[in-house]
Amino acid sequence: MARQYFTHKGVLFPCLDYSPEALSYVENEFQVQDDDVFNVTYPKSGTNWMLEILSLIRCDGDPDWVCSVLNWERAPWVDNQTGLKAALKYSPPRLICSHLPVQLFPKSLQHSKAKIIYTLRCPKDVLVSLYHFSKPLHLFKDPGSLDSFFEDFLRGNVPYGSWFDHVTGWMGLKGNENFFPITYEELQQDPLGSVRRICHFLGKELSEEQVAAVVENASFQSMKGNKMSNFSQVEEKYMDHEKGELLRKGNTWYE
Ligand code: A3P
């Protein structure tokens, strides 16, 4: 089932480790808890960077947790079957990742105080990053040429659907007190200020030294050298490590 897609409610999903039944369960039955923190993004928008920041904030900047526990165990992906099982077993307070578009997100969010951090990134950089990551990741189809992939991207003919719909849908929550939007570019331009704002949103007080430790331990270089965060431990079934890596360039120049 590697590199095949199915369509669920008009959105493409990988066949490997995803199913319409699990997606329906997540949308209709998954119970969001008031102390959940969700790290939500369109793919390749800085999900793992934000996950590292959130993990470190939880530990007051101490890198022990991010250096000893795999990132997808620290914050399971509720969208796929493996991640969903892990999320259901997670002792609260949960940290959960998702790329789901807003209309497929757990409905129980509406009646909860759970916090959503939505990271968005310039679509040109998302396009290029997704193009390169589609080569090693067996969940995604081989992207073909950049020109043809560009067409697929514009049409939303890629996993998780249209970037434009995803961002428009989630940004409809802007102004809600439990919704915090931030951009990849803000994280790059002002990492200390961004971490301070995230802490404020989470109601977590960190000292200036602890904020600096979060930024340092979540830097591109720190994550690239941390096998718990750099995807080097992803099984061959899911990823061909010869063909690419998660921590590719970390730039904002469409390359
Ligand atoms: P590039 O492919 O442009 O290098 P996601 O985690 O959503 O899959 O996003 C992956 C993108 O975020 C990759 O972009 C990766 O390099 C970048 N990234 C991951 N960690 C980062 C960090 N600490 N600082 C800057 N960029 C980071």
Side-chain angles (χ1 to χ4, degrees):
M1 295 299 266
R3 297 191 176 267
Q4 300 293 316
Y5 298 147
F6 66 91
T7 303
H8 177 72
K9 298 195 170 180
V11 178
L12 282 186
F13 289 95
C15 290
L16 187 62
D17 212 18
Y18 288 67
S19 74
E21 294 75 22
L23 288 168
S24 290
Y25 175 87
V26 170
E27 184 187 343
N28 298 305
E29 288 172 64
F30 184 82
Q31 288 307 308
V32 171
Q33 297 168 10
D34 284 343
D35 53 2
D36 285 341
V37 173
F38 286 93
N39 174 29
V40 181
T41 57
Y42 186 84
K44 311 318 290 175
S45 301
T47 329
N48 288 281
W49 188 8
M50 181 55 75
L51 158 52
E52 206 76 351
I53 290 170
L54 295 173
S55 304
L56 286 157
I57 288 175
R58 184 163 282 196
C59 301
D60 304 330
D62 184 334
D64 275 4
W65 196 37
V66 299
C67 291
S68 56
V69 179
L70 288 160
N71 46 6
W72 60 86
E73 291 176 1
R74 279 182 260 131
W77 242 265
V78 75
D79 322 356
N80 63 51
Q81 295 171 79
T82 310
L84 173 59
K85 275 186 211 143
L88 290 169
K89 278 195 262 163
Y90 200 121
S91 303
R94 301 185 295 191
L95 196 49
I96 296 177
C97 291
S98 178
H99 290 318
L100 287 173
V102 70
Q103 73 277 14
L104 300 181
F105 203 75
K107 287 197 170 88
S108 56
L109 174 69
Q110 289 162 17
H111 310 289
S112 93
K113 295 185 182 129
K115 293 191 161 82
I116 305 272
I117 296 180
Y118 185 67
T119 310
L120 54 156
R121 185 182 189 188
C122 169
K124 295 182 195 172
D125 290 312
V126 170
L127 164 74
V128 174
S129 183
L130 187 58
Y131 170 75
H132 287 289
F133 201 58
S134 297
K135 297 176 188 176
L137 196 72
H138 292 158
L139 270 70
F140 294 171
K141 284 188 181 168
D142 184 281
S145 70
L146 184 56
D147 281 353
S148 68
F149 188 70
F150 182 42
E151 292 297 325
D152 286 338
F153 183 79
L154 288 181
R155 291 199 184 102
N157 198 17
V158 287
Y160 289 100
S162 155
W163 178 90
F164 303 93
D165 292 347
H166 202 281
V167 169
T168 310
W170 275 106
M171 289 306 281
L173 272 61
K174 196 174 170 201
N176 289 12
E177 63 179 347
N178 64 341
F179 180 75
F180 182 85
I182 188 165
T183 65
Y184 179 98
E185 293 75 19
E186 283 173 282
L187 286 173
Q188 278 206 324
Q189 283 156 20
D190 182 14
L192 291 168
S194 299
V195 169
R196 273 187 222 113
R197 289 198 299 125
I198 297 166
C199 287
H200 182 71
F201 172 70
L202 294 174
K204 176 93 183 172
E205 268 188 45
L206 293 190
S207 68
E208 280 308 299
E209 289 73 28
Q210 289 168 331
V211 169
V214 170
V215 170
E216 175 56 28
N217 291 311
S219 70
F220 187 86
Q221 287 312 328
S222 298
M223 284 181 63
K224 201 170 170 75
N226 179 0
K227 65 178 197 247
M228 295 295 145
S229 307
N230 63 15
F231 273 27
S232 60
Q233 306 305 302
V234 173
E235 286 175 50
E236 291 287 329
K237 175 181 158 195
Y238 294 108
M239 187 167 167
D240 181 344
H241 296 279
E242 300 288 306
K243 290 196 175 159
E245 56 185 343
L246 174 73
L247 280 287
R248 194 183 59 90
K249 292 209 167 177
N251 286 339
T252 47
W253 308 307
Y254 338 131
E255 56 172 23

